[in-house]
Amino acid sequence: MVSETSTPSASTSSEERETTEVKPQASTFGSVVFSWRRWWLRDVVGTVNQAEVIEKRREDCLLSERYLFMTAMSAGIAVLGLLLSSPAVVIGAMLLSPLMGPIMGLGFALAIGDYQWLKQSARSLAWGSAMGIGLTAALVYMSPIQTITQEIAARTQPNLFDLFVALFSALAGAYAMIRGREGTIVGVAIATALMPPLAVVGFGLATWNWTVFSGALLLYITNLITIALTAWGMARLYGFKTTLSARNTIFQNVAVASVFIGLAIPLAFSLQQIAWQTNAQRIVRAEIQEKFDNRSLIDALDIEFGTEPLTVNATMLTPTLLAEAEGEIERALSSRLDRPVELSLIQYQVGTSASAAEQAQLSAARASEEAAASARAEDLAQRLALVAGVPESDVLIDRSRRRALVRAERLEDANLAVYRALEERIASTEPEWTIELLPPAGALPAEIPFDENGPTLEGTRALGIIEWAANRIELPIVLTGDADSATAAAEILSSRGVDVDVRPTSGPLQARWGQLRTE
């Protein structure tokens, strides 16, 4: 009797233990999810002042005088930087561009279902984009420089990495806007680079170059759509939502849905193009490498997707030259890519050791760098000869010390300030070089204005020209005029390495050339 009673009891207790072991697991998982949601809603979403964030974003989307002016200035700087192939100038245009505001506004407006805000953001973005394209096209059309520089070419072939840059930058930008860390927006503006591709669109329009126009437009649209949709996702993640009021009509709902569809279509096309080009690059590299043995190395590979047939230029470092490789690879690529391919394959025979190709590649890289440095020095000599009005042979170039010197001829109506400006203009393009343009001993500034606090702004400018000219011509300076002003000016010039002689007289402070002193 005792055993009959104890058996069911043991069985029940075993079942209870199994149930007890399972329930805490389910309860623990649920409690973790619940705790995480509670933390997110209370400690993260609950700390966001949505009204303040929305109000700031609305201000950035206004079609104001400041917005139009800054867009125009950014576009002008961008196209000049692209034509000059100056990354520093292009970065300056990125920092000025206000296009990020209405693009982020599109995302936030979609997230909260505000049709009026959506319409305002779209209007501002459309006007800004049209102004940027129109102004850059006009500048390029009037410019004597219409060549495709490296900076322009870099924005005509968007790829998968450009999409990811826009995605991660938009995540950082939207987070910074929501959490009130808007200093981050400067970095986001540089990373996404909205204005430069828009300027390249204007360049393509002015030069009637469809490849440049379409490639840059694709990059701009990809960045725009990615940023807007990422901002929408981040806003929804942080609880930016609203219910439609009675004033919201079916038309507004349809308009919001249309924006989603309108954004999705070009993005899908952009993704398709980017994915195909990325895959094509992988296929081309694999087909070329497969034809040669593992001791061979691809030294250079360039693919022009905008041409018909598709153009591939490759350089191969290999121990064994293959006569039929170019034709065989070209046929294989045409078959795999389902598109006509024109391959230009250059083969360089190197040693048979495992490191021979790497060594040859390093040698080729050094030779390329040396050729580039030589070409840059020649270009510098040509520009200096042009501004100095002398033959190129009169320009002294010291490549080892990165120093260039030329003695300028006397130019009609050119004073010392003009020569100094010419030197500064050349020096700004070659920051690693020391540029010296030696002017003729022309007239020094007629007057050096002083007041009770020292040299005025005009006086400081005159002292700067005198200092520059004296150091270039290596003649002493004679200062005449009021004793106190002349002494103060002499101290300033002497501290900058200028040989100065003071001769107090009545009248304004003036400077003239002195005579070299003989021992």
Side-chain angles (χ1 to χ4, degrees), residues 222-262:
T222 299
N223 286 344
L224 185 158
I225 295 172
T226 304
I227 294 170
L229 289 182
T230 303
W232 168 81
M234 287 290 286
R236 294 304 300 266
L237 181 64
Y238 274 87
F240 284 75
K241 57 184 178 180
T242 184
T243 56
L244 296 176
S245 64
R247 291 178 297 178
N248 292 115
T249 62
I250 297 177
F251 174 76
Q252 290 172 325
N253 294 334
V254 172
V256 172
S258 300
V259 171
F260 270 110
I261 296 173

Side-chain angles (χ1 to χ4, degrees), residues 68-239:
L68 294 175
F69 178 77
M70 295 302 290
T71 300
M73 295 304 98
S74 175
I77 294 172
V79 74
L80 291 175
L82 293 168
L83 291 174
L84 296 172
S85 196
S86 172
V89 177
V90 174
I91 290 174
M94 299 176 193
L95 294 175
L96 288 178
S97 173
L99 292 175
M100 182 68 72
I103 294 176
M104 285 288 187
L106 284 175
F108 280 91
L110 287 172
I112 67 174
D114 191 328
Y115 173 69
Q116 292 300 326
W117 186 11
L118 181 69
K119 187 167 65 173
Q120 176 63 57
S121 299
R123 183 187 299 114
S124 298
L125 182 61
W127 274 104
S129 300
M131 173 179 286
I133 294 174
L135 179 61
T136 54
L139 289 173
V140 172
Y141 182 78
M142 294 184 295
S143 170
I145 303 175
Q146 294 185 354
T147 55
I148 300 177
T149 64
Q150 184 177 359
E151 289 290 325
I152 293 175
R155 289 166 175 86
T156 59
Q157 290 291 330
N159 55 47
L160 194 59
F161 295 109
D162 294 314
L163 180 65
F164 282 124
V165 167
L167 173 63
F168 292 131
S169 300
L171 286 171
Y175 173 81
M177 290 178 174
I178 293 171
R179 304 301 298 177
R181 304 287 190 273
E182 299 194 18
T184 309
I185 301 303
V186 174
V188 173
I190 296 176
T192 50
L194 292 164
M195 184 54 74
L198 200 63
V200 177
V201 173
F203 177 92
L205 182 63
T207 57
W208 293 102
N209 190 321
W210 171 251
T211 301
V212 171
F213 177 86
S214 60
L217 185 61
L218 180 61
L219 177 59
Y220 178 67
I221 292 176
T222 299
N223 286 344
L224 185 158
I225 295 172
T226 304
I227 294 170
L229 289 182
T230 303
W232 168 81
M234 287 290 286
R236 294 304 300 266
L237 181 64
Y238 274 87

